[in-house]
mmCIF file of all heavy atoms in Angstrom:
data_model
loop_
_atom_site.group_PDB
_atom_site.id
_atom_site.type_symbol
_atom_site.label_atom_id
_atom_site.label_comp_id
_atom_site.label_asym_id
_atom_site.label_seq_id
_atom_site.Cartn_x
_atom_site.Cartn_y
_atom_site.Cartn_z
ATOM 1 N N ASN S 139 -123.580 84.426 -134.200
ATOM 2 C CA ASN S 139 -124.372 85.653 -134.153
ATOM 3 C C ASN S 139 -124.074 86.541 -135.357
ATOM 4 O O ASN S 139 -124.961 87.207 -135.886
ATOM 5 C CB ASN S 139 -124.099 86.410 -132.848
ATOM 6 C CG ASN S 139 -124.941 85.915 -131.709
ATOM 7 O OD1 ASN S 139 -126.023 86.439 -131.440
ATOM 8 N ND2 ASN S 139 -124.453 84.879 -131.035
ATOM 9 N N ALA S 140 -122.816 86.559 -135.769
ATOM 10 C CA ALA S 140 -122.472 87.383 -136.935
ATOM 11 C C ALA S 140 -123.158 86.858 -138.197
ATOM 12 O O ALA S 140 -123.749 87.620 -138.977
ATOM 13 C CB ALA S 140 -120.957 87.408 -137.106
ATOM 14 N N GLY S 143 -126.840 87.400 -137.876
ATOM 15 C CA GLY S 143 -127.153 88.818 -138.008
ATOM 16 C C GLY S 143 -127.125 89.271 -139.450
ATOM 17 O O GLY S 143 -128.003 90.026 -139.898
ATOM 18 N N VAL S 147 -130.301 90.779 -141.512
ATOM 19 C CA VAL S 147 -130.274 92.091 -142.180
ATOM 20 C C VAL S 147 -130.606 91.936 -143.669
ATOM 21 O O VAL S 147 -131.369 92.730 -144.248
ATOM 22 C CB VAL S 147 -128.890 92.749 -141.983
ATOM 23 C CG1 VAL S 147 -128.768 94.006 -142.837
ATOM 24 C CG2 VAL S 147 -128.687 93.090 -140.509
ATOM 25 N N ALA S 156 -134.073 101.070 -142.491
ATOM 26 C CA ALA S 156 -132.628 100.862 -142.406
ATOM 27 C C ALA S 156 -132.041 101.330 -141.071
ATOM 28 O O ALA S 156 -131.197 100.637 -140.485
ATOM 29 C CB ALA S 156 -131.931 101.568 -143.573
ATOM 30 N N PRO S 157 -132.454 102.499 -140.543
ATOM 31 C CA PRO S 157 -131.904 102.912 -139.245
ATOM 32 C C PRO S 157 -132.221 101.905 -138.138
ATOM 33 O O PRO S 157 -131.402 101.671 -137.250
ATOM 34 C CB PRO S 157 -132.571 104.271 -138.974
ATOM 35 C CG PRO S 157 -132.924 104.779 -140.340
ATOM 36 C CD PRO S 157 -133.277 103.588 -141.157
ATOM 37 N N VAL S 158 -133.414 101.341 -138.171
ATOM 38 C CA VAL S 158 -133.791 100.372 -137.141
ATOM 39 C C VAL S 158 -132.889 99.146 -137.231
ATOM 40 O O VAL S 158 -132.385 98.635 -136.226
ATOM 41 C CB VAL S 158 -135.271 99.978 -137.283
ATOM 42 C CG1 VAL S 158 -135.626 98.869 -136.293
ATOM 43 C CG2 VAL S 158 -136.157 101.186 -137.064
ATOM 44 N N LEU S 159 -132.710 98.661 -138.472
ATOM 45 C CA LEU S 159 -131.844 97.498 -138.651
ATOM 46 C C LEU S 159 -130.407 97.813 -138.220
ATOM 47 O O LEU S 159 -129.718 96.975 -137.621
ATOM 48 C CB LEU S 159 -131.851 97.060 -140.126
ATOM 49 C CG LEU S 159 -133.000 96.144 -140.566
ATOM 50 C CD1 LEU S 159 -132.922 95.877 -142.043
ATOM 51 C CD2 LEU S 159 -132.975 94.851 -139.781
ATOM 52 N N ALA S 160 -129.961 99.017 -138.521
ATOM 53 C CA ALA S 160 -128.603 99.401 -138.164
ATOM 54 C C ALA S 160 -128.423 99.431 -136.639
ATOM 55 O O ALA S 160 -127.424 98.935 -136.109
ATOM 56 C CB ALA S 160 -128.265 100.765 -138.765
ATOM 57 N N VAL S 161 -129.395 100.015 -135.941
ATOM 58 C CA VAL S 161 -129.309 100.078 -134.477
ATOM 59 C C VAL S 161 -129.312 98.669 -133.895
ATOM 60 O O VAL S 161 -128.538 98.337 -132.990
ATOM 61 C CB VAL S 161 -130.480 100.912 -133.914
ATOM 62 C CG1 VAL S 161 -130.536 100.769 -132.389
ATOM 63 C CG2 VAL S 161 -130.326 102.373 -134.305
ATOM 64 N N TRP S 162 -130.196 97.826 -134.462
ATOM 65 C CA TRP S 162 -130.274 96.449 -133.967
ATOM 66 C C TRP S 162 -128.946 95.727 -134.188
ATOM 67 O O TRP S 162 -128.434 95.042 -133.301
ATOM 68 C CB TRP S 162 -131.426 95.735 -134.691
ATOM 69 C CG TRP S 162 -131.559 94.294 -134.305
ATOM 70 C CD1 TRP S 162 -132.239 93.793 -133.263
ATOM 71 C CD2 TRP S 162 -130.977 93.180 -135.000
ATOM 72 N NE1 TRP S 162 -132.131 92.438 -133.217
ATOM 73 C CE2 TRP S 162 -131.356 92.020 -134.289
ATOM 74 C CE3 TRP S 162 -130.192 93.053 -136.142
ATOM 75 C CZ2 TRP S 162 -130.974 90.758 -134.689
ATOM 76 C CZ3 TRP S 162 -129.807 91.784 -136.533
ATOM 77 C CH2 TRP S 162 -130.198 90.653 -135.821
ATOM 78 N N ALA S 163 -128.391 95.866 -135.391
ATOM 79 C CA ALA S 163 -127.135 95.193 -135.714
ATOM 80 C C ALA S 163 -125.993 95.709 -134.837
ATOM 81 O O ALA S 163 -125.139 94.946 -134.375
ATOM 82 C CB ALA S 163 -126.803 95.381 -137.195
ATOM 83 N N LEU S 164 -125.976 97.031 -134.596
ATOM 84 C CA LEU S 164 -124.927 97.598 -133.744
ATOM 85 C C LEU S 164 -125.044 97.074 -132.316
ATOM 86 O O LEU S 164 -124.033 96.814 -131.656
ATOM 87 C CB LEU S 164 -125.008 99.126 -133.758
ATOM 88 C CG LEU S 164 -124.538 99.805 -135.061
ATOM 89 C CD1 LEU S 164 -124.814 101.302 -135.004
ATOM 90 C CD2 LEU S 164 -123.042 99.549 -135.291
ATOM 91 N N ALA S 165 -126.274 96.940 -131.837
ATOM 92 C CA ALA S 165 -126.473 96.424 -130.478
ATOM 93 C C ALA S 165 -125.966 94.989 -130.377
ATOM 94 O O ALA S 165 -125.285 94.618 -129.407
ATOM 95 C CB ALA S 165 -127.953 96.496 -130.092
ATOM 96 N N ILE S 166 -126.301 94.161 -131.414
ATOM 97 C CA ILE S 166 -125.802 92.790 -131.419
ATOM 98 C C ILE S 166 -124.276 92.788 -131.454
ATOM 99 O O ILE S 166 -123.601 92.058 -130.714
ATOM 100 C CB ILE S 166 -126.370 92.010 -132.629
ATOM 101 C CG1 ILE S 166 -127.893 91.849 -132.502
ATOM 102 C CG2 ILE S 166 -125.689 90.647 -132.762
ATOM 103 C CD1 ILE S 166 -128.327 90.910 -131.429
ATOM 104 N N GLY S 167 -123.714 93.633 -132.305
ATOM 105 C CA GLY S 167 -122.263 93.695 -132.420
ATOM 106 C C GLY S 167 -121.598 94.142 -131.130
ATOM 107 O O GLY S 167 -120.550 93.610 -130.734
ATOM 108 N N TYR S 168 -122.219 95.120 -130.459
ATOM 109 C CA TYR S 168 -121.663 95.607 -129.194
ATOM 110 C C TYR S 168 -121.622 94.495 -128.147
ATOM 111 O O TYR S 168 -120.620 94.295 -127.452
ATOM 112 C CB TYR S 168 -122.483 96.787 -128.688
ATOM 113 C CG TYR S 168 -122.108 97.232 -127.303
ATOM 114 C CD1 TYR S 168 -120.911 97.926 -127.071
ATOM 115 C CD2 TYR S 168 -122.932 96.953 -126.220
ATOM 116 C CE1 TYR S 168 -120.565 98.320 -125.795
ATOM 117 C CE2 TYR S 168 -122.588 97.341 -124.948
ATOM 118 C CZ TYR S 168 -121.406 98.033 -124.739
ATOM 119 O OH TYR S 168 -121.060 98.413 -123.463
ATOM 120 N N LEU S 169 -122.723 93.741 -128.050
ATOM 121 C CA LEU S 169 -122.758 92.654 -127.079
ATOM 122 C C LEU S 169 -121.741 91.575 -127.418
ATOM 123 O O LEU S 169 -121.113 90.979 -126.530
ATOM 124 C CB LEU S 169 -124.166 92.059 -127.010
ATOM 125 C CG LEU S 169 -125.246 92.966 -126.406
ATOM 126 C CD1 LEU S 169 -126.598 92.287 -126.452
ATOM 127 C CD2 LEU S 169 -124.893 93.320 -124.962
ATOM 128 N N MET S 170 -121.579 91.311 -128.717
ATOM 129 C CA MET S 170 -120.594 90.318 -129.110
ATOM 130 C C MET S 170 -119.170 90.781 -128.784
ATOM 131 O O MET S 170 -118.310 89.994 -128.375
ATOM 132 C CB MET S 170 -120.723 90.026 -130.612
ATOM 133 C CG MET S 170 -121.973 89.248 -130.989
ATOM 134 S SD MET S 170 -122.041 87.629 -130.166
ATOM 135 C CE MET S 170 -123.177 87.998 -128.832
ATOM 136 N N MET S 171 -118.914 92.079 -128.975
ATOM 137 C CA MET S 171 -117.599 92.615 -128.644
ATOM 138 C C MET S 171 -117.321 92.495 -127.145
ATOM 139 O O MET S 171 -116.214 92.135 -126.732
ATOM 140 C CB MET S 171 -117.497 94.078 -129.087
ATOM 141 C CG MET S 171 -117.423 94.269 -130.603
ATOM 142 S SD MET S 171 -117.387 96.019 -131.046
ATOM 143 C CE MET S 171 -115.886 96.529 -130.220
ATOM 144 N N ARG S 172 -118.336 92.764 -126.336
ATOM 145 C CA ARG S 172 -118.159 92.630 -124.892
ATOM 146 C C ARG S 172 -117.891 91.174 -124.514
ATOM 147 O O ARG S 172 -117.039 90.874 -123.673
ATOM 148 C CB ARG S 172 -119.394 93.130 -124.142
ATOM 149 C CG ARG S 172 -119.558 94.635 -124.188
ATOM 150 C CD ARG S 172 -120.534 95.102 -123.148
ATOM 151 N NE ARG S 172 -120.081 94.725 -121.811
ATOM 152 C CZ ARG S 172 -120.729 95.044 -120.687
ATOM 153 N NH1 ARG S 172 -121.857 95.736 -120.770
ATOM 154 N NH2 ARG S 172 -120.277 94.680 -119.528
ATOM 155 N N GLY S 173 -118.634 90.262 -125.157
ATOM 156 C CA GLY S 173 -118.404 88.857 -124.884
ATOM 157 C C GLY S 173 -117.019 88.413 -125.318
ATOM 158 O O GLY S 173 -116.336 87.659 -124.605
ATOM 159 N N HIS S 199 -126.364 89.771 -119.512
ATOM 160 C CA HIS S 199 -125.848 89.824 -120.896
ATOM 161 C C HIS S 199 -126.649 88.893 -121.792
ATOM 162 O O HIS S 199 -127.073 89.267 -122.900
ATOM 163 C CB HIS S 199 -124.372 89.426 -120.874
ATOM 164 C CG HIS S 199 -123.705 89.544 -122.221
ATOM 165 N ND1 HIS S 199 -123.785 88.546 -123.167
ATOM 166 C CD2 HIS S 199 -122.952 90.533 -122.783
ATOM 167 C CE1 HIS S 199 -123.119 88.899 -124.246
ATOM 168 N NE2 HIS S 199 -122.594 90.112 -124.039
ATOM 169 N N ILE S 202 -130.300 90.296 -122.335
ATOM 170 C CA ILE S 202 -130.388 91.409 -123.295
ATOM 171 C C ILE S 202 -130.214 90.898 -124.723
ATOM 172 O O ILE S 202 -130.929 91.294 -125.646
ATOM 173 C CB ILE S 202 -129.339 92.485 -122.962
ATOM 174 C CG1 ILE S 202 -129.639 93.100 -121.582
ATOM 175 C CG2 ILE S 202 -129.305 93.563 -124.036
ATOM 176 C CD1 ILE S 202 -128.547 94.013 -121.083
ATOM 177 N N LEU S 203 -129.241 89.980 -124.915
ATOM 178 C CA LEU S 203 -129.007 89.440 -126.264
ATOM 179 C C LEU S 203 -130.223 88.675 -126.772
ATOM 180 O O LEU S 203 -130.624 88.812 -127.934
ATOM 181 C CB LEU S 203 -127.774 88.537 -126.235
ATOM 182 C CG LEU S 203 -127.324 87.979 -127.597
ATOM 183 C CD1 LEU S 203 -126.985 89.122 -128.551
ATOM 184 C CD2 LEU S 203 -126.134 87.046 -127.419
ATOM 185 N N SER S 204 -130.849 87.887 -125.880
ATOM 186 C CA SER S 204 -132.035 87.139 -126.307
ATOM 187 C C SER S 204 -133.189 88.079 -126.627
ATOM 188 O O SER S 204 -133.980 87.833 -127.545
ATOM 189 C CB SER S 204 -132.446 86.155 -125.215
ATOM 190 O OG SER S 204 -132.805 86.847 -124.035
ATOM 191 N N ALA S 205 -133.295 89.167 -125.879
ATOM 192 C CA ALA S 205 -134.360 90.142 -126.160
ATOM 193 C C ALA S 205 -134.164 90.767 -127.542
ATOM 194 O O ALA S 205 -135.139 91.008 -128.274
ATOM 195 C CB ALA S 205 -134.381 91.202 -125.073
ATOM 196 N N LEU S 206 -132.913 91.034 -127.903
ATOM 197 C CA LEU S 206 -132.656 91.599 -129.234
ATOM 198 C C LEU S 206 -133.025 90.612 -130.335
ATOM 199 O O LEU S 206 -133.631 90.981 -131.355
ATOM 200 C CB LEU S 206 -131.185 91.986 -129.344
ATOM 201 C CG LEU S 206 -130.741 93.199 -128.505
ATOM 202 C CD1 LEU S 206 -129.234 93.363 -128.576
ATOM 203 C CD2 LEU S 206 -131.435 94.466 -129.002
ATOM 204 N N TRP S 207 -132.694 89.332 -130.125
ATOM 205 C CA TRP S 207 -133.051 88.331 -131.143
ATOM 206 C C TRP S 207 -134.555 88.066 -131.155
ATOM 207 O O TRP S 207 -135.117 87.672 -132.187
ATOM 208 C CB TRP S 207 -132.288 87.027 -130.898
ATOM 209 C CG TRP S 207 -130.884 87.103 -131.415
ATOM 210 C CD1 TRP S 207 -129.740 87.131 -130.702
ATOM 211 C CD2 TRP S 207 -130.486 87.153 -132.794
ATOM 212 N NE1 TRP S 207 -128.642 87.215 -131.505
ATOM 213 C CE2 TRP S 207 -129.069 87.224 -132.841
ATOM 214 C CE3 TRP S 207 -131.165 87.163 -134.010
ATOM 215 C CZ2 TRP S 207 -128.349 87.291 -134.014
ATOM 216 C CZ3 TRP S 207 -130.439 87.229 -135.190
ATOM 217 C CH2 TRP S 207 -129.048 87.290 -135.187
ATOM 218 N N LEU S 209 -136.729 90.203 -131.139
ATOM 219 C CA LEU S 209 -137.362 91.236 -131.977
ATOM 220 C C LEU S 209 -137.439 90.803 -133.446
ATOM 221 O O LEU S 209 -138.248 91.339 -134.214
ATOM 222 C CB LEU S 209 -136.563 92.539 -131.868
ATOM 223 C CG LEU S 209 -136.525 93.206 -130.488
ATOM 224 C CD1 LEU S 209 -135.596 94.405 -130.519
ATOM 225 C CD2 LEU S 209 -137.918 93.621 -130.065
#
Side-chain angles (χ1 to χ4, degrees):
N139 275 267
V147 172
V158 175
L159 276 176
V161 170
W162 177 86
L164 287 174
I166 295 289
Y168 172 73
L169 292 177
M170 289 300 100
M171 289 177 61
R172 289 196 59 178
H199 184 276
I202 296 171
L203 185 60
S204 63
L206 290 173
W207 280 111
L209 296 175

